[in-house]
Amino acid sequence: MADQNYDYDVLVIGAGPGGYVAAIRAAQLGLKTACAESRETLGGTCLNVGCIPSKAMLHASEYFEAASGGAMKAMGIEVSPKLNLDTMHAQRRDAVEGLTKGVAFLFKKNKIDWKSGHATFQDAHTVKVGDETVTAKNVVIATGSSVTPLPNVEVDNAKGVVVDSTGALELPKVPKKMVVIGGGVIGLELGSVWRRLGAEVTVVEFLDQLLPGMDGDVRKEAGKIFKKQGMELKLSHKVTGCTVKGKKATLTVEPSQGGEAETIEADCVLVSIGRKPNTEGLGLDAIGLETNERGQIETDHEFRTAVDGVWAIGDVIPGPMLAHKAEDEGIAVAENIAGQTGIVNHDVIPSVVYTWPEIAGVGLTEEQAKGKGKVKVGKFPMLANSRAKTNHEPDGFVKVIADAETDRVLGVWCIASVAGTMIAQAAQAMEFGATSEDIAYTCHAHPTHSEAIKEAAMAVTSKPIHI
Ligand code: FAD
Ligand code: NAI
C-alpha cells in the first residue's frame, strides 16, 4: 500500500525499456506504481522507433538480398525477388503495434497506472503530467535519449530528404543515392537496409574507422566487409554543410583534420552521429538536479541521483545507450526502491550490431585490456567453422581476450552471421568469472557457429583444432 502522504510509491517518467520494466518490477514487488509517457504508445524509443522497427527492416531486407543472389544462388535457389516496400513497411508497423500493445497489456495486468503526457518536476515528489499533478515517494527518471543534431544539416523527416533514424525507417521509396553521416551502429544498420533494397550508400565517418568503442580488429574487419558489400566508406571525413533543393541534397564534405572540401549529391541523407540524453523540459531546476558535461544525470550504483527520492536509469544516465542495459537497470532500481539489492554489472553488457554478418562484443576490447595489464588473445576465423562454411557465411572471426596470469576472460568479440546470439554465452561465462580454459573445455554442440567461441578460447592457451 502506498505511503499515505503520496499518490504512489513509485512514479516512473518514461515508458521505454528502462521505464516500463522498472514499473513492472516495482508493481511485482507490491509497490503502487504509475508511469508517465509523453508518446502516444508505450515502449519508448526501442519499441516505437528504435530496436524493433529497425530489426523488422533489417530482417526483411536480409531476405530480399539473400533472394537476390549471393548465398541463395550458391545453394541452388534461383529466384528474382520483387520488392513490395509498402508490405515491408506494414509488417514493420505490425511488429511495433503488437509489441507496444503488449506493454500496455502488461501495465494493466500489473495494475500500473499509465499517465499520458509530458512530465515536469514541481518538487522532488511532485510531478505535473499534462494537466494532472501526481505525487510519489520515489520518482524514477527514465526519459531516454534523442538524436544529436548536426549543425548546418537540418533534419526534416516529413520531407524525407534529410532524415534521422526515425525518418530512415519510413522512407516511402528506395533512394537512388543515400549518404549516411556517421559510421556508427545506426548508420551501418539502416545504411545496410537501404543498400540491400537497391540504394547506392556512402558512409561519411569522422574517425579513421567505423564503429567507435568496438575492438580494433573488429572495426578493421567490419570496414572490409561493408566495402565488399558495396558501401562506399569515406573515413576521416566530416560533413560541414547541406543544402536541399527539391528532392536533392548537396553535402559539403571535408577531411576531418582539414583540407579541401568536396560536394556530394544525394536523394537521401541520414544523420546518425549519436544520441543525447532527454532532460529538456523535465524541470530538473525545480529539484536542484544538475546534469554532467555530457548532459547525463549521474547516479550511484543503486541508481540514486543527488536528490533524495529521485532515481535515474537508461539512456539518460552514463553508460552504453542500449535497451538491455536500460532494462536491467529498470529491474535493479525497482528492487533497490523496494529495499532489496538490485545490481547491474556494467562490465558485462553485450552490444550487437544487427548487420550481415552481425557484429557483437562483451567486456574489454584488446586495446583496453592491454592498457590494464598483460593479456593473451585467441582468434578463430568463421571460415574454419564447419556450420558457417556450409551455410556460405565465410566472413568474420571470434576473438577471446584473457588475463595473461589468471586466464580470466576479459572480453569476447565476434563477427558472424549469428554473432548476436553467440555473444550470450560469452556474457554468461564472464558473469561467472570464467577462464578461457572453462570455455575451451565446455562441450559445444556440433555443427554450430558457437563452436568458434570454443576454438577461439582454445587458441588463448594452446591451439584450436580446426586451423
Ligand atoms: P527510451 O527508450 O528513449 O524511452 C524514454 C521514453 O521517455 C520515451 O518514450 C519518451 O517519449 C519518454 N519521455 C521523455 N521525456 C519525458 C517526459 N518529460 N515526460 C514523459 N515522458 C518522457 N538498443 C539495443 O539494445 N538494441 C538495438 O537493436 C537498438 N536499436 C536501435 C535502433 C535505433 C534506430 C535507435 C534510435 C536506437 C536503438 N537502440 C537499440 C537503443 C535503444 O533504443 C535505447 O538504448 C533504449 O530505448 C533506451 O531506453 P530508455 O528506457 O532509457 O529510453
Ligand atoms: P554512434 O555513436 O554509434 O555513431 C556515431 C558515429 O558518428 C561515430 O562513429 C562518430 O565518430 C560519427 N560522427 C560524429 N560526428 C560526425 C560528423 N560530424 N561527421 C561524420 N561522422 C561523425 O551513434 P548512432 O549510430 O547515432 O547511434 C546512437 C546510439 O544508439 C548508439 O550509441 C547505440 O547505443 C544505440 N543503438 C544501438 C543499436 C544496437 O544495439 N544494435 C542500434 C542502433 C542504435
Side-chain angles (χ1 to χ4, degrees), residues 14 17-18 37-39 44-45 51 55 118-119 143-144 315 321-324:
E37 171 56 57
S38 52
R39 215 183 275 275
T45 304
C51 324
K55 265 77 259 179
H118 186 89
T143 49
D315 279 11
M321 288 181 163
L322 296 172
H324 41 283

Side-chain angles (χ1 to χ4, degrees), residues 102-273:
V103 178
F105 165 78
L106 290 173
F107 269 24
K108 255 199 194 139
K109 185 178 159 200
N110 287 284
K111 301 191 172 44
I112 297 161
D113 289 341
W114 170 6
K115 306 276 175 193
S116 190
H118 186 89
T120 311
F121 278 102
Q122 308 296 298
D123 63 45
H125 300 283
T126 312
V127 176
K128 223 165 171 233
V129 187
D131 296 333
E132 193 182 350
T133 300
V134 181
T135 62
K137 189 168 183 192
N138 297 280
V139 180
V140 179
I141 303 173
T143 49
S145 63
S146 46
V147 176
T148 304
L150 178 61
N152 304 325
V153 184
E154 200 184 318
V155 167
D156 184 346
N157 285 334
K159 201 165 178 190
V161 179
V162 181
V163 295
D164 58 21
S165 55
T166 302
L169 288 166
E170 297 269 356
L171 298 179
K173 64 177 207 197
V174 180
K176 190 166 172 330
K177 166 101 201 179
M178 181 178 207
V179 173
V180 172
I181 311 177
V185 195
I186 291 181
L188 294 172
E189 287 190 355
L190 295 181
S192 290
V193 166
W194 294 107
R195 183 200 55 72
R196 291 168 186 168
L197 299 181
E200 250 176 70
V201 176
T202 300
V203 179
V204 181
E205 166 56 48
F206 184 84
L207 300 172
D208 61 353
Q209 296 285 349
L210 302 171
L211 294 170
M214 293 213 148
D215 180 85
D217 274 346
V218 166
R219 296 176 68 188
K220 257 188 245 157
E221 187 69 11
K224 280 189 212 153
I225 291 172
F226 291 119
K227 240 189 197 161
K228 198 167 79 180
Q229 290 176 355
M231 272 192 191
E232 189 188 338
L233 304 182
K234 261 189 125 36
L235 302 175
S236 305
H237 277 74
K238 61 181 175 187
V239 171
T240 51
C242 174
T243 51
V244 178
K245 271 203 191 123
K247 289 278 174 196
K248 282 247 175 298
T250 307
L251 293 169
T252 313
V253 180
E254 289 175 21
S256 305
Q257 305 308 325
E260 215 163 294
E262 59 179 306
T263 56
I264 310 181
E265 291 215 326
D267 315 284
C268 182
V269 175
L270 165 60
V271 180
S272 50
I273 60 160

Side-chain angles (χ1 to χ4, degrees), residues 343-461:
I343 296 172
V344 177
N345 180 1
H346 285 103
D347 291 337
V348 183
I349 299 204
S351 62
V352 181
V353 188
Y354 296 86
T355 47
W356 179 268
E358 292 177 346
I359 302 168
V362 60
L364 301 180
T365 64
E366 186 174 341
E367 297 75 21
Q368 289 167 334
K370 279 182 172 158
K372 288 179 186 260
K374 284 211 167 109
V375 298
K376 295 175 297 182
V377 175
K379 240 175 124 174
F380 188 79
M382 292 313 293
L383 188 61
N385 170 271
S386 59
R387 186 66 182 276
K389 196 167 163 49
T390 309
N391 287 3
H392 305 267
E393 298 161 350
D395 290 331
F397 60 81
V398 175
K399 176 175 183 177
V400 173
I401 303 153
D403 184 290
E405 259 177 42
T406 63
D407 191 36
R408 193 172 170 154
V409 177
L410 303 173
V412 177
W413 295 87
C414 322
I415 302 186
S417 58
V418 289
T421 306
M422 290 161 70
I423 206 68
Q425 72 145 301
Q428 195 157 39
M430 286 175 67
E431 193 62 47
F432 282 85
T435 59
S436 76
E437 192 184 48
D438 290 328
I439 298 178
Y441 283 103
T442 299
C443 189
H444 286 61
H446 174 77
T448 58
H449 297 81
S450 295
E451 286 173 286
I453 294 192
K454 177 188 172 93
E455 295 255 22
M458 290 175 89
V460 172
T461 44

Side-chain angles (χ1 to χ4, degrees), residues 277 296-299 303 312-319 325 329 346:
Q296 299 157 324
I297 296 173
E298 298 272 356
T299 68
F303 307 103
I313 55 166
D315 279 11
V316 79
I317 73 168
K325 178 242 184 204
E329 291 176 348
H346 285 103

